[in-house]
Tab-separated table of all heavy atoms in Angstrom:
chain	number	residue	atom	x	y	z
X	1	SER	N	68.241	139.778	85.016
X	1	SER	CA	68.961	138.608	84.598
X	1	SER	C	68.070	137.813	83.665
X	1	SER	O	66.843	137.567	83.987
X	1	SER	CB	69.335	137.706	85.794
X	1	SER	OG	69.714	136.450	85.326
X	2	LYS	N	68.583	137.380	82.505
X	2	LYS	CA	67.723	136.568	81.542
X	2	LYS	C	67.435	135.209	82.173
X	2	LYS	O	66.410	134.569	81.867
X	2	LYS	CB	68.524	136.443	80.250
X	2	LYS	CG	68.544	137.748	79.489
X	2	LYS	CD	69.289	137.566	78.185
X	2	LYS	CE	69.370	138.959	77.517
X	2	LYS	NZ	70.277	138.979	76.397
X	3	ALA	N	68.253	134.723	83.094
X	3	ALA	CA	68.054	133.419	83.645
X	3	ALA	C	66.887	133.395	84.626
X	3	ALA	O	66.281	132.331	84.760
X	3	ALA	CB	69.354	132.991	84.434
X	4	TYR	N	66.556	134.492	85.257
X	4	TYR	CA	65.476	134.513	86.274
X	4	TYR	C	64.227	135.201	85.833
X	4	TYR	O	63.142	134.893	86.310
X	4	TYR	CB	65.984	135.198	87.569
X	4	TYR	CG	67.040	134.401	88.269
X	4	TYR	CD1	68.315	134.876	88.322
X	4	TYR	CD2	66.713	133.248	88.884
X	4	TYR	CE1	69.256	134.106	88.981
X	4	TYR	CE2	67.673	132.462	89.589
X	4	TYR	CZ	68.949	132.915	89.602
X	4	TYR	OH	69.914	132.220	90.298
X	5	GLY	N	64.251	136.190	84.977
X	5	GLY	CA	63.073	136.937	84.584
X	5	GLY	C	62.708	137.937	85.649
X	5	GLY	O	63.549	138.354	86.475
X	6	LEU	N	61.441	138.304	85.695
X	6	LEU	CA	61.012	139.290	86.694
X	6	LEU	C	61.162	138.807	88.141
X	6	LEU	O	60.951	137.621	88.441
X	6	LEU	CB	59.512	139.594	86.480
X	6	LEU	CG	59.094	140.420	85.292
X	6	LEU	CD1	57.593	140.617	85.244
X	6	LEU	CD2	59.741	141.849	85.411
X	7	PRO	N	61.553	139.707	89.067
X	7	PRO	CA	61.550	139.291	90.429
X	7	PRO	C	60.214	138.776	90.950
X	7	PRO	O	59.154	139.210	90.416
X	7	PRO	CB	61.917	140.611	91.167
X	7	PRO	CG	62.723	141.423	90.158
X	7	PRO	CD	61.991	141.098	88.862
X	8	ARG	N	60.239	137.845	91.853
X	8	ARG	CA	59.029	137.142	92.335
X	8	ARG	C	58.855	137.370	93.806
X	8	ARG	O	59.823	137.680	94.551
X	8	ARG	CB	59.152	135.650	92.058
X	8	ARG	CG	59.291	135.315	90.579
X	8	ARG	CD	59.635	133.877	90.449
X	8	ARG	NE	60.927	133.622	91.136
X	8	ARG	CZ	61.444	132.449	91.353
X	8	ARG	NH1	60.861	131.402	90.877
X	8	ARG	NH2	62.586	132.322	92.054
X	9	THR	N	57.628	137.127	94.271
X	9	THR	CA	57.362	137.144	95.693
X	9	THR	C	58.329	136.208	96.450
X	9	THR	O	58.499	135.081	96.061
X	9	THR	CB	55.902	136.716	95.933
X	9	THR	OG1	55.067	137.588	95.239
X	9	THR	CG2	55.593	136.739	97.468
X	10	GLY	N	58.915	136.749	97.482
X	10	GLY	CA	59.895	135.953	98.274
X	10	GLY	C	61.288	136.209	97.906
X	10	GLY	O	62.276	135.854	98.683
X	11	ASP	N	61.622	136.814	96.706
X	11	ASP	CA	63.006	137.099	96.385
X	11	ASP	C	63.446	138.243	97.360
X	11	ASP	O	62.617	138.982	97.907
X	11	ASP	CB	63.080	137.635	94.982
X	11	ASP	CG	62.947	136.558	93.880
X	11	ASP	OD1	62.988	135.341	94.266
X	11	ASP	OD2	62.763	136.900	92.721
X	12	LEU	N	64.744	138.350	97.578
X	12	LEU	CA	65.296	139.340	98.444
X	12	LEU	C	65.589	140.636	97.686
X	12	LEU	O	66.085	140.616	96.550
X	12	LEU	CB	66.527	138.816	99.125
X	12	LEU	CG	66.387	137.594	99.932
X	12	LEU	CD1	67.696	137.253	100.643
X	12	LEU	CD2	65.263	137.692	100.916
X	13	VAL	N	65.334	141.756	98.301
X	13	VAL	CA	65.531	143.048	97.704
X	13	VAL	C	66.585	143.748	98.538
X	13	VAL	O	66.501	143.750	99.780
X	13	VAL	CB	64.255	143.896	97.517
X	13	VAL	CG1	63.578	144.090	98.904
X	13	VAL	CG2	64.413	145.224	96.895
X	14	GLY	N	67.547	144.372	97.864
X	14	GLY	CA	68.683	145.064	98.633
X	14	GLY	C	68.731	146.463	98.152
X	14	GLY	O	68.624	146.783	96.930
X	15	TYR	N	69.069	147.370	99.066
X	15	TYR	CA	69.217	148.784	98.763
X	15	TYR	C	70.621	149.195	99.197
X	15	TYR	O	71.108	148.855	100.271
X	15	TYR	CB	68.225	149.597	99.599
X	15	TYR	CG	66.792	149.181	99.416
X	15	TYR	CD1	66.214	148.272	100.299
X	15	TYR	CD2	66.029	149.656	98.347
X	15	TYR	CE1	64.887	147.857	100.134
X	15	TYR	CE2	64.730	149.212	98.178
X	15	TYR	CZ	64.155	148.341	99.059
X	15	TYR	OH	62.890	147.883	98.891
X	16	ASP	N	71.244	149.993	98.362
X	16	ASP	CA	72.557	150.537	98.721
X	16	ASP	C	72.479	152.028	99.026
X	16	ASP	O	73.444	152.636	99.420
X	16	ASP	CB	73.652	150.250	97.643
X	16	ASP	CG	73.340	150.839	96.295
X	16	ASP	OD1	72.432	151.664	96.133
X	16	ASP	OD2	73.976	150.431	95.340
X	17	TRP	N	71.317	152.627	98.751
X	17	TRP	CA	71.134	154.069	99.056
X	17	TRP	C	72.296	154.904	98.474
X	17	TRP	O	72.763	155.802	99.149
X	17	TRP	CB	70.895	154.311	100.528
X	17	TRP	CG	69.869	153.478	101.188
X	17	TRP	CD1	70.036	152.676	102.243
X	17	TRP	CD2	68.477	153.370	100.798
X	17	TRP	NE1	68.842	151.989	102.534
X	17	TRP	CE2	67.865	152.394	101.634
X	17	TRP	CE3	67.689	153.852	99.796
X	17	TRP	CZ2	66.573	152.018	101.555
X	17	TRP	CZ3	66.360	153.425	99.683
X	17	TRP	CH2	65.765	152.540	100.622
X	18	ASN	N	72.712	154.526	97.248
X	18	ASN	CA	73.834	155.256	96.579
X	18	ASN	C	75.177	155.177	97.322
X	18	ASN	O	75.999	156.045	97.214
X	18	ASN	CB	73.434	156.671	96.311
X	18	ASN	CG	72.208	156.788	95.360
X	18	ASN	OD1	72.165	156.075	94.377
X	18	ASN	ND2	71.262	157.627	95.737
X	19	LYS	N	75.367	154.100	98.069
X	19	LYS	CA	76.679	153.862	98.739
X	19	LYS	C	77.384	152.777	98.009
X	19	LYS	O	76.861	152.160	97.083
X	19	LYS	CB	76.410	153.511	100.238
X	19	LYS	CG	75.558	154.534	100.909
X	19	LYS	CD	76.460	155.535	101.632
X	19	LYS	CE	75.618	156.307	102.660
X	19	LYS	NZ	75.330	157.623	102.417
X	20	ALA	N	78.501	152.377	98.511
X	20	ALA	CA	79.332	151.320	97.885
X	20	ALA	C	78.765	149.936	98.068
X	20	ALA	O	79.159	149.004	97.365
X	20	ALA	CB	80.739	151.437	98.363
X	21	THR	N	77.907	149.723	99.058
X	21	THR	CA	77.465	148.358	99.409
X	21	THR	C	76.006	148.351	99.889
X	21	THR	O	75.511	149.416	100.305
X	21	THR	CB	78.387	147.663	100.534
X	21	THR	OG1	78.079	146.321	100.634
X	21	THR	CG2	78.275	148.453	101.843
X	22	VAL	N	75.408	147.189	99.816
X	22	VAL	CA	74.004	147.042	100.249
X	22	VAL	C	73.934	147.270	101.764
X	22	VAL	O	74.712	146.642	102.483
X	22	VAL	CB	73.498	145.617	99.871
X	22	VAL	CG1	72.085	145.436	100.519
X	22	VAL	CG2	73.390	145.510	98.369
X	23	SER	N	73.029	148.068	102.228
X	23	SER	CA	72.863	148.372	103.667
X	23	SER	C	71.496	148.109	104.181
X	23	SER	O	71.247	148.241	105.405
X	23	SER	CB	73.288	149.827	103.969
X	23	SER	OG	72.400	150.635	103.240
X	24	HIS	N	70.565	147.553	103.377
X	24	HIS	CA	69.252	147.234	103.833
X	24	HIS	C	68.695	146.113	102.948
X	24	HIS	O	68.890	146.111	101.756
X	24	HIS	CB	68.290	148.440	103.798
X	24	HIS	CG	66.983	148.234	104.388
X	24	HIS	ND1	66.771	147.920	105.696
X	24	HIS	CD2	65.721	148.225	103.790
X	24	HIS	CE1	65.438	147.773	105.930
X	24	HIS	NE2	64.849	147.921	104.769
X	25	VAL	N	67.921	145.157	103.561
X	25	VAL	CA	67.440	144.049	102.855
X	25	VAL	C	66.013	143.730	103.300
X	25	VAL	O	65.685	143.991	104.467
X	25	VAL	CB	68.317	142.737	103.051
X	25	VAL	CG1	68.414	142.264	104.521
X	25	VAL	CG2	67.920	141.597	102.180
X	26	GLY	N	65.228	143.240	102.402
X	26	GLY	CA	63.878	142.799	102.702
X	26	GLY	C	63.378	141.826	101.649
X	26	GLY	O	64.222	141.192	100.962
X	27	PHE	N	62.076	141.609	101.585
X	27	PHE	CA	61.496	140.658	100.620
X	27	PHE	C	60.648	141.398	99.537
X	27	PHE	O	59.988	142.366	99.848
X	27	PHE	CB	60.614	139.699	101.344
X	27	PHE	CG	61.242	138.758	102.222
X	27	PHE	CD1	61.287	139.007	103.595
X	27	PHE	CD2	61.839	137.590	101.738
X	27	PHE	CE1	61.952	138.100	104.460
X	27	PHE	CE2	62.456	136.684	102.630
X	27	PHE	CZ	62.510	136.992	103.983
């Protein structure tokens, strides 16, 4: 996103493992 720039420490990361929805979250 141009509004945020590079992800930063503390942002949430989500994985969908090639499925239709996010199934795992971390930092």
Side-chain angles (χ1 to χ4, degrees):
S1 165
K2 291 179 183 170
Y4 291 110
L6 286 176
R8 301 169 300 173
T9 301
D11 288 347
L12 302 186
V13 59
Y15 307 93
D16 60 13
W17 309 123
N18 297 315
K19 306 267 193 252
T21 189
V22 172
S23 59
H24 185 64
V25 62
F27 292 98

